[in-house]
Amino acid sequence: MNILILGGGGREHAFAWKMKQSPRCDHLFVAPGNAGTATIATNLSIDPMDFDKVYKKIKKHDIHMVVVGPEAPLVAGISDYLNEKLPEVLVIGPSKVASQLEGSKAFAKQFMADNGIPTASYIEVTKETLDTGIDHIDNHKGPYVLKADGLAAGKGVLIIEKKKEAKKQLRQMLDGKFGSASQTVVIEEFLDGIEFSVFILTDGQYYTLLPVAKDYKRIGEGDVGLNTGGMGAVSPVPFVDAEMMHKVRERIILPTLSGLEKRHIPYVGFIFFGLINVGGDPYVIEYNCRMGDPETEVVLPRIQNDLVDVLESVFEQDLYEIRLEKDPRVAATVVMVSGGYPEAYEKGKKITIGDVGSSIVFHSGTAIEDDKVVTSGGRVLAVTSLGETIGQAVSTSLEAIDNIKFKRSYHRTDIGSDV
Ligand code: AMP
Ligand code: GLY
């Protein structure tokens, strides 16, 4: 069958790489894709937010399956749009309503409260209820976690120590610091623990559990400094043992699926549970309605099944028959970024990739200019390796990175060293 992947980052390159291995995949398209996907698929230079153009490309290229990578088109309703116009096309990605699990923090918090799903306690604040928010900060100890309700390109969460600063930021958020995304702000209890990422693929009733991963969000070694989209990831995660996964299943995954069913919200696609281990108990930090990036770059290389078969089973009500075969080895990915990221950085730097041995180089922010591969984003490449231990897998990626060059490149060397 012909397959279209929407998006253009490392996650989408990893999807393309995995789907390309399937004998069931005839022609593979990525929109808009990047210089990496161009080597294994046909890039279509359209914006996934332009639903009409997506629809036309699906018709033109006789596409039978669409995998939606990023959250923005899902939250804007691309699945509903395509399902209505092209009911025969298999769309991997939830409806607009279901995507509210990621698209609205207030929706997600209320959903968790209604279903007894462990998460930080919270209040919701708008301009009209600003006084309640200020009182809340006065009456609680920091750190204060302030979250813009809507999508804010991963920047909408502030963690603040001091009362005065928290109040100032709350006011600024309600005044439009993150545009309409922060018209409503969620103030949360601060949870202290180690984060990890759990992914399922679900048809709303049955689900299959993907390999667990952990990403490293901060720019600096030792996980310090500004938040980024993710500087690396590992899978599996040593502290997420069978006992922890039992708790995750009973307290989080099953109540989430039954909660959706109770609200009559069908769900087709991935659910990414952003979790935190607080003294041996899992709490939900956030839901995402898609796979993670760079987690996908360590999750998919550990899955041995044909991904097209697995995704198709979502539509055939036989997901429960799928047993995922997982590579027992550890996967690690190290992200190479443009100097300056996550603040201002330059683009257009020529990239040369030498011998990377057995490592896999997934492209994130790359483009082709005058037949050369150049940087075009903050996160540029994700270099994934498999190994017997986390240390080994990371070392293999670091050796490969020694042979990849672009001006002012930066990466962390400590991915996975905390676990
Ligand atoms: P989110 O966009 O909700 O995932 O938040 C971004 C990051 O902020 C998370 O990955 C956590 O590191 C941190 N964070 C969010 N909520 C909390 C919380 N309640 N307690 C501690 N850290 C949090
Ligand atoms: N790596 C975190 C995310 O994809 O949101």
Side-chain angles (χ1 to χ4, degrees), residues 6-8 11-12 48 67-75 102 289-291:
L6 293 179
R11 168 183 50 214
E12 289 75 25
V67 180
V68 187
E71 65 279 10
L74 292 168
V75 172
E102 174 166 3
C289 57
R290 52 167 174 90
M291 286 295 292

Side-chain angles (χ1 to χ4, degrees), residues 195-197 212-214 234-241 302 390 419:
E195 289 173 61
F196 60 108
S197 307
V212 176
K214 178 176 192 316
V234 298
S235 172
V237 185
F239 69 83
V240 185
D241 55 11
R302 293 193 58 231
I390 291 179
V419 290

Side-chain angles (χ1 to χ4, degrees), residues 49-102:
M49 294 299 281
D50 190 337
F51 297 176
D52 186 51
K53 286 214 174 104
V54 174
Y55 162 78
K56 286 182 178 137
K57 292 290 184 192
I58 293 173
K59 291 287 278 184
K60 177 170 174 199
H61 297 292
D62 193 22
I63 285 160
H64 191 60
M65 181 185 279
V66 180
V67 180
V68 187
E71 65 279 10
L74 292 168
V75 172
I78 195 163
S79 288
D80 314 66
Y81 182 89
L82 295 178
N83 284 328
E84 193 187 315
K85 293 190 83 162
L86 298 162
E88 67 287 1
V89 174
L90 310 179
V91 182
I92 303 288
S95 67
K96 184 172 181 166
V97 172
S99 302
Q100 291 296 299
L101 280 182
E102 174 166 3

Side-chain angles (χ1 to χ4, degrees), residues 30-47:
V30 188
N34 56 41
T37 61
T39 63
I40 51 172
T42 305
N43 283 352
L44 303 172
S45 64
I46 53 166
D47 179 356

Side-chain angles (χ1 to χ4, degrees), residues 9-16 69-71 290-293 296-297 300:
R11 168 183 50 214
E12 289 75 25
H13 189 185
F15 266 106
E71 65 279 10
R290 52 167 174 90
M291 286 295 292
D293 193 351
T296 305
E297 292 95 302
L300 294 186

Side-chain angles (χ1 to χ4, degrees), residues 105 120 145 147 157 159 188-191 195 217 227 276 285-286:
K105 302 269 186 207
V145 182
K147 298 189 174 185
V157 176
I159 298 179
E188 263 187 28
E189 162 200 11
F190 179 80
L191 297 176
E195 289 173 61
K217 290 210 170 82
N227 246 318
I276 188 164
I285 290 274
E286 63 165 351

